[in-house]
Amino acid sequence: MERPTGHAHGPSAPRLLPWPSPDGNPCYLVTDDNGSYLSRLADDMEAVQLATGTDVLGHARKVLDDPASPYAEVRFAGLRLAECLSDALRVAESRGMRVPVPDSGYADEN
């Protein structure tokens, strides 16, 4: 998917939402209103996902720092870290897709 340019013309680029569809596919929102209910809900969900990642990382560090941690606890920590990393990568991708690419001011010379 192309990143938006610095122009304010035309429809906005689709926003990757922080949750998948019921069948696991990416969900997108197309709107010119970044303050819409669904946009605010997505912003709130991203904030919760990132905060959860911070919490899980803190707990996982404690488990991983203890060489006597049982296998089940280490595995559980790893699974939760993988979930949080997936969420954080989706947030990063969504936000990166919404960063406008500045116009260079030069026409392509082909």
Side-chain angles (χ1 to χ4, degrees), residues 104-110:
S104 65
Y106 299 102
D108 288 345
E109 297 177 22
N110 291 330

Side-chain angles (χ1 to χ4, degrees), residues 5-85:
T5 64
H7 294 301
H9 308 291
S12 63
R15 174 184 179 168
L16 176 63
L17 294 173
W19 52 80
S21 70
D23 56 347
N25 292 321
C27 288
Y28 294 92
L29 172 65
V30 179
T31 182
D32 289 333
D33 182 5
N34 290 330
S36 70
Y37 174 77
L38 196 52
S39 292
R40 291 189 322 270
L41 181 64
D43 291 341
D44 291 346
M45 180 66 155
E46 287 179 351
V48 167
Q49 288 173 324
L50 295 175
T52 300
T54 299
D55 290 343
V56 168
L57 180 59
H59 294 298
R61 285 188 191 275
K62 291 176 188 172
V63 170
L64 297 174
D65 285 343
D66 181 358
S69 290
Y71 168 81
E73 287 184 28
V74 173
R75 185 172 190 284
F76 182 79
L79 291 171
R80 298 300 75 82
L81 286 169
E83 289 172 0
C84 291
L85 178 58

Side-chain angles (χ1 to χ4, degrees), residues 94-110:
S94 175
R95 292 181 181 181
M97 289 168 38
R98 290 181 278 145
V99 174
V101 176
D103 291 337
S104 65
Y106 299 102
D108 288 345
E109 297 177 22
N110 291 330

